[in-house]
Amino acid sequence: MSEERSLNFIEEIIENDLNSGKYETLITRFPPEPNGYLHIGHAKAICLNFGLTQKYGGYTNLRFDDTNPVTEKTEYVDSQQHDIKWLGFQWKNELYTSDYFDTLYEYAVTLIKKDLAYVDHSTADEIAALKGTPTEPGSSSPYRNRSIEENLDLFSRMKSGGFEDGACILRAKIDMQSTNMLMRDPIIYRIKHAEHHRTGNKWCIYPMYDFAHGQSDSIENITHSICTLEYVAHRELYDWLIEKLEIFPSKQYEFARLNLSYTVMSKRKLLQLVNDGVVTGWDDPRMPTISGLRRRGYTPESIREFCERIGIAKRENIIELSLLEFCIREHLNKTANRVMAVLDPIKLIITNYPEGKDETLIGENNPEAEDKGGTREIPFSNELWIEREDFMEEPAKKWFRLAPGAMVRLKHAYIVKCEDFKKDEQGNITEIHCSYIPESKSGEDTSGINVKGTIHWVSSKHAKNAEIRIYDRLFTVESPDAEEGDFKDYLNPNSMEIIKQAYIEPYLENADKDSRYQFIRKGYYCVDKDSTPGNLIFNRTVGLKDAWAKTNK
Ligand code: ATP
Ligand code: MG
């Protein structure tokens, strides 16, 4: 975190609350529903909740908000924990809303006993018809004035399985005339005969979000319950329930959710992409999930830096994907070792370098790192691969790379001069012939020759073959959610390009899974999880420059 920035509005509230002695210990929570993998939006909420207790002391709970048995899975619980830890945070307690089902049931009974809740047999349509509209008050359900005894009996029969799904619900008895639609006798319990990933078949009634969330906060003595702006209207109900139940007065605060351009963020939509096979899984490197970003080569530091830079606001907006890319580029610039890889190879033969001779050159790994990242050995010989685009038969103006008669420096090696080239019948260049200047070796150059261009290369005899996967934005429009029709209509058909025949330095042969490199002049790449020593696979994390901004704006 940068030290100089001013406090955000939540920090201001917390500082006031701690200074005034309202609370001694700050307690926050991160409450994901285990119905999918976490995404970059969740990262913002994680950085905020855990960041606050890192800054002000106290602690943060991880609470799985698992009140919907149908969509929740243990696989998601495990992946969510892994992602939070990977981001660099540690929760104090691992908790589950389902652990509170007994307490929540008792709370509902308390409300019934206070004549503040009732069992309603109306159908969903009937309930909707009586609910009114934002401009017209609602009216009472015929079941609203049941006796407390009758409600207690019915609710206990709901619990013991006496009713089918949807036969009745429990509603809070608040105010059908309220200007806040959520206060018009909201549903707090529903019947669902479904197996729960933790409580099995113990329950066939499940609390609604509004009845579970605030009460769970209160059970855990959460002081500041931070959520996104959609819940502003829920705050009145949040406070009402806590007040009527006379439990710990947790308080809810809302901030603007993160929206990122060229992607979608709801777990439901991401699940569709997975199920429809549009992507290879939740951790596809094109996904905005934390696992996808990790596989793409993002570092926890870069994601935390991104969350810090976007800050905490009270108004919705869309953050440019290029800012996220900027953050990873900055971090990798300082930490990733430089190596050479040729993605679109063409042969370069050095005609005056002895055939069969090998030479070992030394390359500095990272001129931007404090310790320069150490050095590595790079084999050199008379046959190299270079990038096809580094040669032009008829050079343009200001062309400083290879062309007939032109000179360039081979990175970490010698200056070469193009003497000749070969073409196949279709006119494609197949081979470039150069001479080299023996006195021009990098680091001990006495040739006195100045060249403007430096190109990368790999010795063909020593090179290893690698598959390279290059990714682009998943969608062609800035906010697929806001467009007409299905969001999937706006998928980018070219979001993945696979290069089967790239050549890399032998140094990379044993690169660790997840390790990250700068392929000189090409961008930042990481080893994919499917990579093996015999079948190397690299993912492009991000290019060296923001190419998109130039061509598309
Ligand atoms: P989704 O629609 O992606 O499933 P959600 O809000 O239903 O999102 P939860 O698992 O309930 O997902 O969210 C856990 C926490 O993460 C909540 O506190 C929520 O406010 C926060 N969160 C979710 N999405 C974002 C986002 N885009 N930006 C910031 N916080 C978010
Ligand atoms: Mg949710």
Side-chain angles (χ1 to χ4, degrees):
M1 279 199 190
S2 63
E3 299 297 328
E4 310 83 29
R5 76 160 167 78
S6 54
L7 298 181
N8 64 49
F9 77 96
I10 294 179
E11 289 171 326
E12 275 177 16
I13 292 168
I14 288 175
E15 290 203 357
N16 279 336
D17 287 349
L18 292 174
N19 291 339
S20 72
K22 184 170 173 191
Y23 303 109
E24 257 176 38
T25 309
L26 174 66
I27 309 178
T28 61
R29 86 286 172 266
F30 174 65
E33 188 180 347
N35 63 348
Y37 281 60
L38 297 178
H39 51 61
I40 183 76
H42 293 113
K44 178 174 179 181
I46 292 168
C47 289
L48 175 60
N49 280 294
F50 285 91
L52 286 168
T53 52
Q54 279 182 347
K55 181 169 179 184
Y56 294 108
Y59 59 86
T60 303
N61 285 341
L62 170 60
R63 183 200 314 144
F64 291 104
D65 202 354
D66 57 349
T67 52
N68 185 358
V70 190
T71 52
E72 293 155 6
K73 283 205 253 170
T74 310
E75 175 200 345
Y76 298 142
V77 168
D78 295 342
S79 75
Q80 295 186 349
Q81 295 197 4
H82 180 74
D83 289 347
I84 298 167
K85 283 193 199 151
W86 179 78
L87 277 176
F89 298 106
Q90 182 57 57
W91 51 91
K92 166 105 172 182
N93 303 300
E94 175 188 331
L95 303 162
Y96 294 79
T97 304
S98 57
D99 291 341
Y100 308 140
F101 280 168
D102 286 293
T103 312
L104 294 172
Y105 180 81
E106 288 310 319
Y107 285 165
V109 169
T110 303
L111 286 185
I112 296 173
K113 286 183 178 160
K114 290 187 165 189
D115 200 16
L116 292 174
Y118 61 98
V119 174
D120 194 330
H121 295 273
S122 307
T123 63
D125 286 345
E126 287 163 352
I127 290 178
L130 292 178
K131 191 119 200 192
T133 66
T135 49
E136 287 165 57
S139 34
S140 296
S141 153
Y143 303 97
R144 195 173 203 260
N145 290 319
R146 285 185 143 146
S147 70
I148 292 174
E149 289 66 35
E150 197 183 353
N151 280 317
L152 286 173
D153 174 55
L154 286 166
F155 188 49
S156 111
R157 279 160 54 198
M158 277 171 68
K159 179 193 178 200
S160 55
F163 297 103
E164 297 293 306
D165 285 8
C168 50
I169 48 170
L170 185 72
R171 298 176 77 173
K173 195 182 207 175
I174 307 181
D175 180 5
M176 290 307 289
Q177 336 279 294
S178 173
T179 50
N180 182 348
M181 297 282 286
L182 290 168
M183 297 298 277
R184 295 183 189 173
D185 293 8
I187 301 171
I188 57 177
Y189 260 95
R190 66 194 164 136
I191 301 171
K192 194 135 211 157
H193 292 268
E195 187 168 312
H196 186 276
H197 77 117
R198 295 190 91 230
T199 57
N201 290 307
K202 178 175 175 198
W203 295 91
C204 62
I205 55 171
Y206 291 95
M208 301 300 287
Y209 172 88
D210 282 317
F211 192 65
H213 202 90
Q215 287 42 258
S216 304
D217 285 342
S218 188
I219 291 168
E220 294 170 23
N221 287 358
I222 301 299
T223 54
H224 298 77
S225 173
I226 303 164
C227 60
T228 42
L229 288 176
E230 312 89 89
Y231 292 98
V232 168
H234 296 246
R235 195 194 319 134
E236 194 178 354
L237 179 54
Y238 183 103
D239 290 338
W240 185 90
L241 287 165
I242 284 180
E243 183 198 324
K244 299 300 173 195
L245 291 166
E246 300 175 61
I247 52 181
F248 182 85
S250 300
K251 285 282 171 200
Q252 174 184 302
Y253 301 93
E254 308 87 11
F255 70 102
R257 68 190 296 114
L258 166 65
N259 301 303
L260 196 60
S261 61
Y262 300 100
T263 192
V264 293
M265 212 103 85
S266 117
K267 289 194 229 98
R268 193 175 49 78
K269 289 184 178 161
L270 296 174
L271 177 64
Q272 265 187 59
L273 298 178
V274 174
N275 285 344
D276 294 357
V278 171
V279 293
T280 56
W282 283 99
D283 69 348
D284 185 299
R286 291 165 291 180
M287 290 279 268
T289 50
I290 296 175
S291 49
L293 291 169
R294 176 168 57 236
R295 187 166 174 192
R296 177 83 171 252
Y298 275 78
T299 57
E301 291 88 340
S302 65
I303 296 177
R304 294 201 303 262
E305 172 67 18
F306 171 73
C307 292
E308 176 68 13
R309 276 175 184 262
I310 56 180
I312 303 300
K314 284 190 199 176
R315 278 244 212 104
E316 295 270 348
N317 60 355
I318 297 182
I319 303 289
E320 289 288 332
L321 185 56
S322 53
L323 179 61
L324 183 61
E325 295 179 340
F326 170 84
C327 292
I328 185 62
R329 206 179 278 123
E330 287 274 287
H331 190 225
L332 293 178
N333 182 39
K334 292 196 210 89
T335 54
N337 283 351
R338 274 61 173 161
V339 292
M340 295 196 281
V342 175
L343 273 48
D344 185 10
I346 182 169
K347 192 62 80 58
L348 182 151
I349 296 172
I350 305 177
T351 47
N352 59 340
Y353 193 91
E355 215 179 312
K357 179 179 166 184
D358 279 0
E359 190 174 346
T360 302
L361 303 171
I362 301 297
E364 197 173 65
N365 283 334
N366 187 352
E368 298 290 325
E370 267 168 36
D371 63 354
K372 306 288 178 211
T375 56
R376 70 182 187 289
E377 296 186 340
I378 311 166
F380 184 79
S381 67
N382 70 320
E383 270 196 36
L384 313 176
W385 293 114
I386 65 161
E387 218 59 77
R388 184 170 289 276
E389 63 175 21
D390 282 337
F391 178 81
M392 261 185 126
E393 187 180 349
E394 286 163 30
K397 268 196 185 153
K398 298 211 173 170
W399 176 259
F400 299 124
R401 294 178 258 166
L402 271 181
M407 290 201 212
V408 288
R409 173 169 293 284
L410 299 171
K411 180 81 183 169
H412 299 307
Y414 299 93
I415 294 174
V416 291
K417 178 177 181 190
C418 175
E419 308 285 1
D420 196 7
F421 60 91
K422 279 195 183 161
K423 276 187 185 177
D424 63 13
E425 278 153 19
Q426 285 81 44
N428 301 312
I429 309 239
T430 52
E431 245 176 53
I432 299 166
H433 294 186
C434 291
S435 58
Y436 89 115
I437 318 280
E439 315 78 69
S440 67
K441 188 168 171 177
S442 286
E444 45 197 79
D445 184 354
T446 55
S447 70
I449 302 172
N450 246 329
V451 291
K452 283 205 169 129
T454 300
I455 64 171
H456 60 277
W457 53 273
V458 266
S459 163
S460 62
K461 180 162 49 159
H462 304 92
K464 301 292 165 195
N465 188 240
E467 176 179 321
I468 312 269
R469 298 176 182 169
I470 298 186
Y471 303 99
D472 199 352
R473 320 191 155 196
L474 196 46
F475 291 89
T476 53
V477 292
E478 247 191 25
S479 24
D481 284 326
E483 298 288 336
E484 258 175 53
D486 189 50
F487 73 102
K488 292 207 288 316
D489 297 344
Y490 301 92
L491 281 162
N492 176 4
N494 304 315
S495 60
M496 175 160 72
E497 181 200 345
I498 297 185
I499 298 174
K500 285 278 178 197
Q501 273 280 353
Y503 292 107
I504 58 175
E505 285 181 40
Y507 168 77
L508 286 172
E509 187 179 17
N510 297 311
D512 289 338
K513 290 260 156 85
D514 294 337
S515 52
R516 306 171 178 94
Y517 299 92
Q518 184 193 96
F519 288 1
I520 291 173
R521 301 174 65 226
K522 295 269 92 174
Y524 293 99
Y525 293 75
C526 72
V527 181
D528 187 71
K529 68 166 191 187
D530 290 343
S531 184
T532 59
N535 183 26
L536 295 163
I537 305 171
F538 288 83
N539 294 319
R540 186 173 75 178
T541 309
V542 67
L544 289 179
K545 287 191 225 97
D546 191 356
W548 184 276
K550 268 195 218 127
T551 50
N552 291 276
K553 284 266 152 92

